[in-house]
Structure formats: structure tokens, C-alpha cells
Amino acid sequence: MGEVSVKTLDTRTDVSSPAVSGGGSPTDRHARADGLLARLRAPRRPRIWFEILLIALSYWTYSLIRNSVPEEKTAALANADWIWSVENTLGIAVERSVNHAVDSVTWLIVGMNYYYATLHFIVTIGVLVWIYRFHPGRYAAARLILFATTGVALVGYYLFPLAPPRLMNGTQFIDTVLKHRTWGSMASGDLKHMSNQYAAMPSMHIGWSLWCGLTVFAVASAPWARILGLLYPTATLVVIVATANHFWLDAAGGALCLAFGYTVSRAWYGSLPHRLPRHPLHTGPHPASAALLRRARRIRSRA
């Protein structure tokens, strides 16, 4: 018995008690933070009610901010003159020629007026629904690109008010909506008081159509769908110029905003949407929404 209870200095192992700390060691805290960040970034199956609410609220906020930017007419016209001068220097100032040429074909320009007024929304929503339905694992990343693109565009509207070509003085651009009395741009005719007329830079017709086209091209498997994906932003570029709503450089601004959107999404999800799994690996509730639900339950239980 005595030999069993004897501990020598050579065989004794000193096991210290773990330090008591409310937050754990720095390594543990970092591990928990990394784990939470990974869960936040992990794509999950989108919830239809949440997406409808989010998109509606986001577009309402976008319209509210865009239309609340001061309509600085003098600065907007001066910036338009500067853009026109830069394009003439670069040798790309052909918008007026395109505007007049297309306007001479009545059925074509009327069709472009309706294209400008409607497809901007219809196609974008359609692509969102398609990604949501058939590629749910890629939906959140694709949606983030669109939101980030639109968000940074608001900064451009505020910092660089710009009149569209059709509102410039002495340049003889044709406002095709007014001339042909079609329901078109929100900045023309009786609808002009509902929208900021001097928010032409960047062009979100290009930003959104490029997002649609590149998303379809990268994700779709059918060759005809991929071809249509590339044709859509190309046709949109012709339309915005032919209807005298934008300069070429406005389109370049829209493309730069989209590049920013891709950068934000790539940084958050660690990959571009088309490289993410088609179906989400995580099907449970998002950590943020789960935390909000737990908080709501605690509040109800205390009431």
C-alpha cells in the first residue's frame, strides 16, 4: 500500500488548473470569432419572404437617396459639357449621331424608349428569381454584387451631378420620349418631377444589365442563354445612347461600379458566385437571424 502512494520528484507530474477567465484565452476568443465569421459568410438557402422584403426595402432606399440628392442644375450642365469635351478629345463623341440616326426610324426608337423604361427592372428581377430558384447557393453572393454596385452608384450621384445629353444646351440631342410621346424615362415628360434628372453618372442601366449578363453567362449551361446574357448589356448600351439618356463615359462609370460590387462579394464570400456550390452546404438559419430570434424570445419571456 505504501509503495503505491509514494510519488517521487522524477515521476510526479504537475498539472496546473486551467486559468479561469470569463472570455477564455486570446486563442479561444480568436477561434470563436473566426468560427462566427465563417458561419456568417457561409451561403444559406434564401428565404423568399426575407428576400422580397429586403429587395423592396433596398430599392425604396435607393430611390429615396437618389432622388434626394440636390438637383444642381448648373453643376450638372457644366459637368455634361466637360464630359462631352473629353469624349470629343478621345474621338468617341458619336452619341449625337447615333441619337439622330435611330430617331429617324420611328418603330425602332419607340421600341428603345419602352426598352429603357421597362427591361431595366424586369430583366434584373427575372435574373434574381432565376438564381434564387435554380442556384440558391450562389444567390447571396450574386445579390451582394448587385447591392454593392447600386450602393456605390449613390456616391457618384452625390459627388458628380450630371445632365444627360438630351438636357444639354445647344448640342441638338433629341429627347426621344418627348418627341414620340411614349412612356419612357422617368426623367422625361410628366414623370420628370418624380426622379432626379441630373443623376446620369454612373449609368445603372449599364451596371445592372452587365450584372445580369455576366451572371447568366457565368452560371447558365445552355449556350443560347449565355449568348443572350452577353447581348443584353450590349443592347442596353445602344439604347441608353440612342435615347440620349447617357454618354459612353456614363456606361464606363456603371461598369466600374459593378467591378466594385464584384470586389466586395469576392472579399466577403472568398469566391465569385459561379465558383460557389450550386446548392448551399448550410441549410440552417443564418446566425444573425437566429440571434435576433433568440433576442425576441427573451424579450417576450420577460414581458
Side-chain angles (χ1 to χ4, degrees), residues 17-82:
S17 301
V20 178
S21 173
S25 67
T27 302
D28 293 337
R29 287 195 296 271
H30 286 311
R32 286 197 297 270
D34 291 342
L36 175 61
L37 186 60
R39 292 195 299 275
L40 288 171
R41 287 176 167 176
R44 282 171 167 76
R45 183 170 295 278
R47 304 297 197 264
I48 183 64
W49 63 269
F50 176 78
E51 294 302 324
I52 292 174
L53 179 63
L54 179 63
I55 292 171
L57 180 61
S58 299
Y59 184 73
W60 177 80
T61 303
Y62 163 76
S63 299
L64 181 67
I65 295 174
R66 181 181 187 274
N67 296 334
S68 66
V69 173
E71 291 194 3
E72 301 178 23
K73 181 177 180 179
T74 302
L77 290 172
N79 287 336
D81 290 335
W82 180 78

Side-chain angles (χ1 to χ4, degrees), residues 226-247:
R226 303 183 74 191
I227 292 172
L228 285 179
L230 295 180
L231 287 178
Y232 175 56
T234 304
T236 301
L237 178 61
V238 175
V239 167
I240 67 171
V241 171
T243 56
N245 279 292
H246 289 284
F247 297 99

